[in-house]
Amino acid sequence: MPYEPPTHTVERSLRATTGAKVIAGVDEVGRGAWAGPVTVCAAVTGLRRPPAGLTDSKLLTVKRRTELAVVLEKWVTAYALGHASPEEIDELGMTAALRLAAGRALQDLPVRPDAVILDGKHDYLGAPWRVRTVIKGDRSCVAVAAASVIAKVRRDKMMAELGADHADFGFAANAGYPSPVHKAALEERGPTPYHRLSWAYLDALPRWQHLKKARIWADGSVPEIEGQLGFDF
């Protein structure tokens, strides 16, 4: 399916209206997975013409995405990755975990950005960063698209490595997201050390429900976990 290539329109707008010179595009991957970290990439690209075929990582084949990531890692001005572990997700919730991972990525850039273009409509990052949210920014903004591809390829590789000792779960193919293979392995073997134990999938696994972790606010309420998929998705 043809798609419009991403542009520097938002970045040019930020430069003109705020005086920002270093602008990072930020995107995440792993929000809805049952296992593994949530990963955020921050990428600085400047206003150069991007490599051909750049778009949202979800629109690319695995082969094309992997090839493009190699090109992008050399092409971008700078990039950095940040992760929040399953344990941090269970303890903090997804919004706070995303903030933690994004903060780690931004702090690891060699130059502190003056502004951030964040994919989506919700600013989970907040102060002290100057943030512009863009719905479908991973398709329309060059820096966010670059971050999208790098984050996806790097996290997929990480999940394949983590899954080497848990072959039944198929992490190399599903990256910790729900799939028939993943679901069958969970029912039979229970969660691995890489699973998010506050996630709703455990509600449908009577043998393993005792492992579920609940975050409880000071008023005694149990918050909903954002972005998760239940077992019967």
Side-chain angles (χ1 to χ4, degrees):
M1 179 180 298
Y3 50 81
E4 291 293 324
T7 70
H8 294 295
T9 300
V10 177
E11 189 167 351
R12 292 182 189 279
S13 173
L14 281 169
R15 287 170 177 253
T17 59
T18 70
K21 295 182 179 179
V22 179
I23 300 172
V26 170
D27 198 17
E28 55 80 19
V29 63
R31 184 194 298 252
W34 288 352
V38 64
T39 296
V40 175
C41 180
V44 179
T45 66
L47 299 178
R48 293 172 297 144
R49 182 188 298 273
L54 178 62
T55 188
D56 172 13
S57 65
K58 297 185 290 297
L59 299 179
L60 301 170
T61 64
V62 174
K63 181 176 184 294
R64 178 58 184 144
R65 188 166 60 223
T66 303
E67 293 171 346
L68 187 56
V70 174
V71 174
L72 286 170
E73 289 179 12
K74 297 176 181 178
W75 174 80
V76 297
T77 303
Y79 78 92
L81 292 156
H83 311 278
S85 69
E87 294 81 8
E88 289 170 327
I89 294 169
D90 286 335
E91 179 182 354
L92 302 172
M94 182 52 72
T95 298
L98 282 169
R99 184 180 306 116
L100 186 65
R104 287 167 173 166
L106 289 164
Q107 293 287 356
D108 279 351
L109 288 171
V111 179
R112 183 182 177 88
D114 301 312
V116 173
I117 305 172
L118 186 62
D119 182 52
K121 65 180 180 180
H122 174 57
D123 177 10
Y124 59 74
L125 192 53
W129 304 100
R130 178 186 290 167
V131 176
R132 172 78 61 85
T133 58
V134 179
I135 296 173
K136 294 187 178 179
D138 48 9
R139 299 188 188 189
S140 62
C141 301
V142 170
V144 180
S148 168
V149 173
I150 294 171
K152 174 64 175 168
V153 171
R154 286 295 197 93
R155 185 181 182 277
D156 282 358
K157 183 175 185 293
M158 179 190 306
M159 291 305 299
E161 293 169 351
L162 292 178
D165 295 330
H166 303 277
D168 290 351
F169 289 83
F171 287 165
N174 61 48
Y177 283 85
S179 71
V181 168
H182 191 170
K183 292 170 70 174
L186 271 169
E187 290 184 289
E188 177 64 25
R189 299 183 178 277
T192 70
Y194 309 116
H195 276 85
R196 303 168 186 181
L197 297 181
S198 58
W199 242 229
Y201 67 83
L202 279 170
D203 295 336
L205 299 173
R207 289 177 61 190
W208 311 107
Q209 281 182 352
H210 64 285
L211 298 176
K212 187 171 183 180
K213 295 181 179 179
R215 293 183 294 115
I216 301 177
W217 295 149
D219 63 3
S221 63
V222 178
E224 181 180 352
I225 306 297
E226 311 94 325
Q228 65 176 300
L229 293 171
F231 204 78
D232 295 320
F233 64 97

